[in-house]
């Protein structure tokens, strides 16, 4: 299992976290998504076939790009 903390500056409220959870939850292999509204961060856990690139591009697609 892989796990990554991503900083998402566009997170402002619970709806943002829900939108991210819905989007990433559709990716095959993603097993867990936790959001921290105050810190504007999400933690994602995944296994193959999901990849970090795929997760990042899904976030970009819904206008919640991860900061590097
Ligand atoms: Cu929001």
């Amino acid at each position: 299992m892989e796990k990554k903390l991503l900083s998402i500056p566009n997170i402002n409220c619970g709806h943002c976290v829900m939108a991210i959870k819905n989007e990433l939850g559709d990716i095959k292999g993603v097993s867990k998504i936790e959001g921290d509204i105050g810190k504007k961060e999400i933690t994602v856990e995944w296994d193959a076939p999901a990849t970090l690139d795929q997760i990042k591009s899904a976030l970009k697609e819904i206008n919640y790009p991860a900061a590097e």
Side-chain angles (χ1 to χ4, degrees):
M1 185 203 70
E2 301 202 62
K3 184 175 179 175
K4 176 102 176 152
L5 178 75
L6 295 169
S7 176
I8 315 282
N10 286 356
I11 289 180
N12 287 308
C13 70
H15 286 113
C16 300
V17 172
M18 281 307 297
I20 290 168
K21 283 186 175 181
N22 285 337
E23 181 72 14
L24 299 187
D26 284 344
I27 299 174
K28 195 168 191 264
V30 171
S31 50
K32 195 171 177 185
I33 308 129
E34 280 175 2
D36 186 319
I37 299 162
K39 291 182 179 170
K40 298 178 188 287
E41 287 171 352
I42 60 162
T43 305
V44 192
E45 292 181 12
W46 73 93
D47 285 292
T51 64
L52 183 57
D53 277 352
Q54 189 183 8
I55 290 164
K56 284 184 170 176
S57 55
L59 288 168
K60 217 175 277 178
E61 229 166 70
I62 58 166
N63 203 30
Y64 291 106
E68 289 303 328

